[in-house]
Amino acid sequence: MRRHWGKKALTTMIVSGLILAGCSGNGDSEKENTPPASSESAVKTEGFPIVDEPIKLKMFTRIAPANGPFKEMPVFQDYEKMSNIQVEFIEAPTDGFAEKKNLLFASNELPDALYRSELNPLETIRYGTSGQLIPLEGLIDKYAPNLKALMEEYPEIRSAITTPEGHIYSIPGIVSTGSARTDKRWINKAWLEKLGLEEPKTTDELYNVLVAFRDGDPNGNGEKDEIPMSARKGAAGIPIANFFTGSFGLDLQFGYNINIEDGKVNIWSGDEKHKELLMYLNKLYTEKLLDQEIFSHTEAQYLAKQGTGNTGMFFDQTNNNFLPIQDQYVGIAPPAGPHGDQKQSTVAPVPRDFGAFAITSVNKYPEATMRWIDYFYSDEGSTLLRFGREGEHYELKDGIPYYTEEFLAIEGAQGKMTPYAGGGAPHLISDKVASFINPPQVQAAFEKLEPYMPEIRYAAPMFDEATAQQVNILRNDIDKYVDEQSTKFIVGALSFDKWEEFQSTLKKMNIEELEKIYQEAYDKMEK
């Protein structure tokens, strides 16, 4: 199915530890969760409470470093009173979360649901077809009016989460706010003004601006301590190279290094255009125009570099990390490359957080559980999840919730109030609830990018388990190799004279077979 970019915005698509005692429906939990004669008939299809007689559910969840205990969050305390559903969260830290999640399924010690669960497509299909996760499409149709409406408004959501057999085993977080789906290109306009420079419009102009940032002492301290450009740590393509793919004629279709032209799928990792991109980044890195710590600094260190005002250009979704000096920065458009290419390729999907919520086969109240999660796919429910209590945590201005200054002044308060802090929560992020991440400066920066968004964006295919396993095996080796070698090319540890050897190795790793699989998926999509 073809999906065009517009206001609805199109998507890319895209255990170890303790056996979690008490997660399954065994022992005392069976007594606690003994359903009424008809659990379905006891569930209201609209309004609150969801059930007249209280019920208890157990949900396995990831707890981020920013979070306090879920049971102490006002969000869930208030929602329990509204819904008449008591949720006991079994929390696993971000570090080691995947291992603990895998252990749950391997031991079959299942909770009633998984919340903020980060199930990838292969896990979703595997645990769904094994019967450990239940199909959700029927429950969505009858008990999730908010989610159903979003799936009708954005058809790419359904295609991104539906298996080849037609089942939905997990649901994502949904982002309808355009500016929340892509990092902005923030440049130090105070430095531009001091050095008498214009906003760069091409990759050559950007190079010249970065040279001026390095040599022109824009911070005025007489030392060469400025960082011309920085980005988050990651393997070569995640994220620094991806920010420049669109300037070199490269796209990121299917959430991968893929161009689609005239119906042909091309994995471009070994292409000359990719070489040209890496040569440009090598030039920036070698001349110290690109942060020398880009492959080693921590997330905290990167965010600190934003807040110092001593960085010339960087990439981030919002301006939260440099609010005290926000007037120093402005968003710019992607630069046109050497052949005139100019696109913003890094666009996250509308169903951004895949596998955020799933219901297991031991759950005795699947209808009530679906209604419980569906509330957070409404603006009202998302406001509760993201902003908490009106008057205490936020106030309304023209119908839009804003955190109070008193609440924002309390260090770490957001993470203790809501699971939204830490990412991956299953809910809707719409324009109405995005004030914290979408203030006017961010909106203006997004407007600079919007004309260069790809016209067509294809979601990552949902393969059957055998094909998904094959893709995983191929990509595990190919992606690791591409990232490692690309990093070496950028930092100068590997000469570009070795490019043909790089291409030859990719062929030996069966990159053409991987390309064929994606081609077949594309052909099925277009039928």
Side-chain angles (χ1 to χ4, degrees):
M1 179 196 325
R2 219 165 246 229
R3 301 191 279 283
H4 297 269
W5 179 272
K7 289 200 175 202
K8 293 184 180 177
L10 301 177
T11 72
T12 58
M13 266 303 298
I14 24 164
V15 210
S16 196
L18 302 171
I19 292 181
L20 302 171
C23 292
S24 71
N26 298 334
D28 292 338
S29 65
E30 275 194 16
K31 296 176 183 176
E32 292 174 351
N33 280 357
T34 301
S38 172
S39 63
E40 182 173 359
S41 64
V43 178
K44 298 178 181 178
T45 56
E46 60 183 21
F48 290 100
I50 293 172
V51 289
D52 288 325
E53 295 298 322
I55 61 174
K56 297 181 179 181
L57 297 172
K58 295 190 177 187
M59 297 188 189
F60 177 69
T61 190
R62 176 178 63 83
I63 184 168
N67 296 140
F70 277 36
K71 67 179 181 181
E72 296 178 8
M73 290 182 178
V75 166
F76 291 123
Q77 292 173 350
D78 291 0
Y79 192 41
E80 179 180 330
K81 295 174 184 176
M82 289 173 56
S83 64
N84 226 2
I85 296 175
Q86 177 184 340
V87 176
E88 177 187 340
F89 287 101
I90 299 98
E91 300 166 353
T94 297
D95 290 338
F97 176 77
E99 289 79 8
K100 288 184 171 65
K101 178 178 60 178
N102 291 342
L103 184 61
L104 276 180
F105 288 99
S107 65
N108 208 35
E109 292 286 332
L110 298 174
D112 294 301
L114 291 92
Y115 180 94
R116 195 156 82 170
S117 47
E118 298 180 343
L119 288 160
N120 63 42
L122 180 56
E123 290 172 334
T124 299
I125 292 174
R126 175 175 295 160
Y127 301 138
T129 55
S130 72
Q132 291 175 295
L133 299 179
I134 66 170
L136 303 179
E137 59 273 10
L139 293 171
I140 292 171
D141 188 58
K142 190 170 181 180
Y143 294 99
N146 298 308
L147 179 56
K148 182 180 179 181
L150 287 168
M151 291 169 69
E152 290 172 351
E153 185 175 2
Y154 303 98
E156 60 267 31
I157 297 173
R158 184 179 295 276
S159 65
I161 63 177
T162 302
T163 70
E165 294 76 28
H167 293 306
I168 297 171
Y169 292 112
S170 67
I171 56 178
I174 294 175
V175 186
S176 62
T177 298
S179 67
R181 290 194 301 277
T182 190
D183 279 355
K184 316 306 175 295
R185 299 167 184 266
W186 300 107
I187 198 164
N188 198 320
K189 71 172 183 177
W191 289 6
L192 291 174
E193 292 169 357
K194 183 173 181 178
L195 299 172
L197 301 170
E198 299 291 330
E199 293 178 13
K201 295 181 173 57
T202 69
T203 51
D204 285 343
E205 289 180 9
L206 176 60
Y207 168 80
N208 292 331
V209 164
L210 296 177
V211 169
F213 285 171
R214 182 194 64 192
D215 299 338
D217 191 28
N219 66 11
N221 68 356
E223 300 178 16
K224 273 195 172 184
D225 59 350
E226 294 87 353
I227 302 172
M229 183 168 69
S230 189
R232 279 185 167 82
K233 173 187 174 183
I238 309 171
I240 185 60
N242 284 354
F243 289 119
F244 289 93
T245 51
S247 299
F248 288 83
L250 304 174
D251 204 353
L252 296 168
Q253 295 286 4
F254 293 130
Y256 197 47
N257 295 352
I258 286 177
N259 278 8
I260 300 176
E261 298 176 358
D262 299 324
K264 290 287 293 180
V265 169
N266 172 39
I267 299 179
W268 47 255
S269 300
D271 285 8
E272 293 302 309
K273 289 180 179 179
H274 188 206
K275 178 184 178 182
E276 196 171 10
L277 164 59
L278 294 177
M279 291 179 72
Y280 179 76
L281 293 176
N282 168 256
K283 181 179 180 181
L284 299 186
Y285 187 87
T286 302
E287 298 185 25
K288 294 183 169 54
L289 305 177
L290 183 60
D291 191 345
Q292 300 295 283
E293 298 177 336
I294 195 166
F295 299 116
S296 62
H297 60 194
T298 65
E299 174 74 358
Q301 289 169 334
Y302 171 63
L303 297 181
K305 289 173 183 177
Q306 295 184 20
T308 63
N310 202 43
T311 304
M313 184 174 173
F314 55 83
F315 309 86
D316 215 330
Q317 175 186 309
T318 185
N319 62 356
N320 291 344
N321 300 305
F322 58 97
L323 280 174
I325 55 169
Q326 61 178 310
D327 292 341
Q328 190 171 328
Y329 288 90
V330 66
I332 62 172
H339 308 294
D341 298 296
Q342 190 174 18
K343 284 186 178 180
Q344 177 73 3
S345 296
T346 51
V347 184
V350 170
R352 188 181 65 183
D353 301 305
F354 188 90
F357 188 84
I359 300 175
T360 75
S361 57
V362 305
N363 190 316
K364 298 180 183 299
Y365 304 98
E367 300 86 8
T369 305
M370 180 55 70
R371 273 226 55 209
W372 184 90
I373 194 62
D374 182 63
Y375 181 59
F376 297 115
Y377 291 97
S378 67
D379 283 331
E380 180 184 306
S382 184
T383 297
L384 171 64
L385 184 79
R386 295 172 71 84
F387 290 90
R389 295 167 178 161
E390 185 176 2
E392 181 178 347
H393 305 120
Y394 75 92
E395 55 191 17
L396 289 174
K397 298 178 183 178
D398 299 322
I400 304 296
Y402 292 83
Y403 291 121
T404 65
E405 292 184 7
E406 295 79 7
F407 177 69
L408 288 175
I410 304 172
E411 185 175 356
Q414 189 187 47
K416 293 180 175 62
M417 184 269 289
T418 169
Y420 147 62
H427 72 301
L428 168 68
I429 303 178
S430 68
D431 289 342
K432 184 169 183 179
V433 299
S435 63
F436 188 65
I437 59 172
N438 195 32
Q441 183 184 27
V442 174
Q443 294 178 37
F446 176 67
E447 289 173 2
K448 295 279 190 71
L449 302 178
E450 195 168 18
Y452 304 100
M453 297 291 187
E455 181 183 356
I456 301 174
R457 178 61 81 211
Y458 292 92
M462 277 285 282
F463 300 109
D464 59 63
E465 183 174 357
T467 305
Q469 186 66 51
Q470 184 182 8
V471 169
N472 273 18
I473 292 171
L474 289 168
R475 281 192 53 174
N476 281 343
D477 293 337
I478 291 171
D479 294 359
K480 181 180 179 181
Y481 178 72
V482 169
D483 288 345
E484 288 177 348
Q485 301 304 100
S486 296
T487 301
K488 291 179 181 179
F489 281 126
I490 291 173
V491 303
L494 184 64
S495 168
F496 284 97
D497 292 340
K498 300 290 186 180
W499 188 257
E500 289 186 7
E501 183 179 318
F502 173 66
Q503 293 174 311
S504 176
T505 302
L506 286 176
K507 289 182 179 179
K508 292 176 183 177
M509 299 175 84
N510 294 320
I511 195 170
E512 292 175 348
E513 178 64 25
L514 182 62
E515 186 174 270
K516 180 181 176 183
I517 293 172
Y518 278 104
Q519 181 70 59
E520 290 172 352
Y522 171 80
D523 292 341
K524 289 178 182 177
M525 218 178 257
E526 289 297 285
K527 284 182 179 179

